[in-house]
Amino acid sequence: LSAAAAMVLLFAWLAAWRASCHRAASLALALSLAATGACWHQLRWNYFPADDLGGYAGEVAEPVALEVTALGQPRIIPAEEFDPLASFAGGDYSRFEVRIDRIRQRDRRVACSGTAPLVVQGHLLGVSAGDRLRVFAELSAPAPALNPGQFDFVEHARSNRRRARLRADFPECVELIATGSPWRPAYWLDEVRAGPWRAGYGNVFEWPTADVLRRLDGVGVGDLGVVARVGAGAQGPSKR
């Protein structure tokens, strides 16, 4: 309906413009743009590809095997402070966005599409934008709001064209299939976002030694947890 209204208003604008009715032409053009925006919103909100990952996701988490492409480096989120009222204590976890390429169904892999956030318990290292990964995780749909005024994760995810979420219990559940090209802009944006030391976060830096020391410049000994050097041989160039 909104697409038809946009087309009718566009023809009305053209007719008014050719008749030199500038006010009517301006009004028709503004209404046509509004109808076009409504049409775009309807398409983005209601229409998804038939192979979208959200079609496999339900309220109850189920195990799934996927081939995905990383859209950015994992961000390590520190564990929350101890809460005696919490039912269980959570640890650090890694979070990043992935684009779905394939999903395994029984003994074959079929094409799949869409994007989803991937949460991995622990520190997931060595992943950059563009890397192709094999992931063994639990797939579920975002949780809807259950109480008045509660944040609705379903609407928030749907507004970003996401209808599913992934969670893995261990970093070993993520395997590197192929390294992404370093010539992609997203790769270098990730390198810039890595930034210096951030207090309160899980800061893990790899060799070469000179790069690590430069990142730790100005950090007091009391701010450090553990700094370890593994191996006494010459340190070669590192990806990160």
Side-chain angles (χ1 to χ4, degrees), residues 89-108:
D92 295 354
Y93 63 92
S94 307
R95 186 186 188 280
F96 64 113
E97 300 288 328
V98 296
R99 186 184 69 239
I100 313 303
D101 298 323
R102 292 181 179 84
I103 185 172
R104 190 170 72 182
Q105 290 186 339
R106 295 185 179 180
D107 58 346
R108 63 192 182 97

Side-chain angles (χ1 to χ4, degrees), residues 40-48 155 158-159 161:
W40 176 252
H41 176 269
Q42 182 181 11
L43 290 174
R44 295 276 299 176
W45 186 266
N46 294 320
Y47 294 95
F48 291 84
E155 291 191 0
R158 197 180 186 95
S159 65
R161 301 283 294 172

Side-chain angles (χ1 to χ4, degrees), residues 87-224:
S87 57
F88 60 91
D92 295 354
Y93 63 92
S94 307
R95 186 186 188 280
F96 64 113
E97 300 288 328
V98 296
R99 186 184 69 239
I100 313 303
D101 298 323
R102 292 181 179 84
I103 185 172
R104 190 170 72 182
Q105 290 186 339
R106 295 185 179 180
D107 58 346
R108 63 192 182 97
R109 294 180 174 89
V110 298
C112 191
S113 63
T115 60
L118 172 58
V119 175
V120 182
Q121 286 296 123
H123 293 195
L124 179 62
L125 305 176
V127 175
S128 296
D131 289 353
R132 293 189 60 238
L133 310 170
R134 182 177 293 112
V135 178
F136 301 91
E138 291 185 342
L139 170 67
S140 63
L146 301 178
N147 300 303
Q150 185 179 3
F151 185 80
D152 195 331
F153 289 97
V154 174
E155 291 191 0
H156 176 71
R158 197 180 186 95
S159 65
N160 291 296
R161 301 283 294 172
R162 295 195 296 261
R163 298 192 300 159
R165 56 184 180 178
L166 299 166
R167 185 179 185 88
D169 291 333
F170 306 98
E172 291 78 12
C173 295
V174 180
E175 300 177 1
L176 180 65
I177 300 176
T179 303
S181 171
W183 301 108
R184 301 173 67 252
Y187 178 90
W188 294 106
L189 285 175
D190 266 351
E191 296 299 316
V192 172
R193 290 194 189 106
W197 181 277
R198 294 187 298 167
Y201 286 80
N203 295 274
V204 180
F205 300 113
E206 299 178 3
W207 302 108
T209 309
D211 291 344
V212 176
L213 295 179
R214 184 170 62 253
R215 290 178 181 268
L216 296 180
D217 186 27
V219 178
V221 177
D223 298 327
L224 298 176

